[in-house]
Structure formats: structure tokens, C-alpha cells
Amino acid sequence: MTVRVLLVDDHPVVRVGLRGMLEMTEDLHVVGEAASGDEAWTLTATLRPDVVLMDLRMPDVNGTEATARITARFPDVRVLVLTTYDTGEDVLRAIEAGAVGYLLKDTPLAQLVDAIHAAARGESVLAPLAAARLADRRRAPVAEQLTPREAEVLGLVARGLSNPEIGRVLFISEATVKTHLVRAFVKLGVSDRTAAVTAALSRGILSPPP
């Protein structure tokens, strides 16, 4: 299955470089480029990509606001942030706006390609450094304790359910599922679903699925 990608960045040289790298991969197809949040919204409505690769700092409408608009109107379109900014505040705002993941621009190509495919499947992807920044911002004495809902969501991940499937089981939005997962990642000190389930099982937070 070919994943259709929309590139959003206000620097033309970045878009050209990304297009060149991604189109070397047979199952990725760049369907368009946007230089602003407004243009990203317009092209998403027109092109309906599978994944929007979104920068954060842009003129007019920024990436976080564009993410919120896109995910609210087009819930089947996944937004994956790709930026140079790694503050906990930036990460938290992007995830709460509906982004499925947050990567930095120094991410190796192979990892970026894997992350785009994961995003297309509705899976959460968080760069280790971004996870660390978010953990620093949110660290508190009870940080290691998962809430009942976070544990419930993680338990469904352990059973092999995707984010959309978890949302349907729990009667919550996919964006809410992603928020619970990212918060669980931070508390467990991990950066992906598999590591989160492994950590939760090893600490006795989850019981092994039947």
C-alpha cells in the first residue's frame, strides 16, 4: 500500500530535500507541498493525504493550529510533526492538537520512513528526545503512576488493537487515545507502543494478554 504524504514547511529547500528522500522509497508518494498552515489546510481538503508531515513554526497559521484544524475536520488524515523544536511545551501542544507523533529533523531517513508508515496506521510515534523533553516538563512525584484510563488503553494496545479500534471500544476519540498513550510513554520512560507494553508488563502494571 502506497502512503500519500503532504509536506508542510515554510522553507522550500527543506521541502525539496524531503521530497527527494521520501520518493526514493517505493511505497511513499508525495502528493503535495504547503508553505504555511493555511495552505496545509487547503491542500489537505483537496488532496486528502494519508499523512501530513507538519513543521511547527510557520508564518500566519502555525503547525499546531493547522494540526488541530486538520485532525478535527479530517480524522482519517494523520499528522506527524517534523521540526527542529524539541521543548516539552511544543511536544505537548502538538500531541494535544491531534498529531500522531513528533519527530526532529535530524531523524535518520529509515526511521522517518518507518514513522510515516506507523502514522498511516494510526500509531503514535515520539522521538526519544521529544519524549525526554515532555517528561522533564511534566515530571511530578506521582509521574510513574498510570491513570486507570492510561492503563486501560495500554492494555488494549497489548491485545493488538490500533488507535482507531481502541477509540471505538472505549467510546473516545482517536485523538484522546493518542493523548493517553503519549502520557503513558512519558511515565514509563519509553518512546513507542511496543516498549510501553513491555515496560508495563515487566512492572506488573499489565497482566499478560491471554
Side-chain angles (χ1 to χ4, degrees):
M1 175 182 173
T2 299
V3 178
R4 304 171 69 252
V5 182
L6 172 64
L7 303 179
V8 185
D9 196 293
D10 60 329
H11 294 97
V13 67
V14 173
R15 298 197 306 272
V16 170
L18 283 171
R19 176 185 283 272
M21 289 189 298
L22 296 181
E23 291 197 334
M24 291 190 298
T25 305
E26 291 183 358
D27 50 2
L28 295 180
H29 175 51
V30 177
V31 296
E33 300 177 17
S36 69
D38 272 334
E39 192 174 0
W41 162 259
T42 300
L43 289 180
T44 298
T46 303
L47 301 174
R48 298 300 294 271
D50 300 306
V51 175
V52 177
L53 206 56
M54 180 76 74
D55 191 18
L56 287 185
R57 307 290 173 86
M58 294 181 291
D60 302 322
V61 176
N62 63 37
T64 301
E65 185 176 346
T67 296
R69 291 184 186 180
I70 290 170
T71 56
R73 179 64 181 84
F74 306 105
D76 292 336
V77 176
R78 319 298 185 187
V79 178
L80 178 60
V81 170
L82 182 66
T83 184
T84 57
Y85 301 97
D86 61 1
T87 69
E89 185 67 25
D90 285 324
V91 179
L92 183 62
R93 286 179 178 173
I95 297 301
E96 291 184 340
V100 296
Y102 196 106
L103 298 177
L104 302 179
K105 287 183 177 177
D106 61 358
T107 300
L109 176 60
Q111 292 181 21
L112 176 59
V113 169
D114 288 345
I116 291 172
H117 283 291
R121 296 191 297 267
E123 298 174 9
S124 299
V125 184
L126 199 61
L129 183 57
R133 294 288 186 268
L134 189 55
D136 288 342
R137 183 183 182 279
R138 304 190 52 169
R139 186 167 287 117
V142 296
E144 291 300 319
Q145 300 296 321
L146 297 187
T147 66
R149 181 62 98 182
E150 290 163 357
E152 188 175 24
V153 168
L154 204 52
L156 293 173
V157 170
R159 289 170 50 188
L161 274 67
S162 66
N163 287 359
E165 290 170 336
I166 293 170
R168 288 193 290 272
V169 169
L170 299 180
F171 300 101
I172 58 178
S173 71
E174 186 179 345
T176 301
V177 173
K178 289 180 287 192
T179 298
H180 287 311
L181 280 176
V182 169
R183 289 173 177 166
F185 291 175
V186 171
K187 292 178 180 180
L188 295 170
V190 300
S191 60
D192 61 58
R193 295 160 64 95
T194 302
V197 170
T198 301
L201 289 170
S202 67
R203 299 180 194 183
I205 298 171
L206 296 179
S207 300

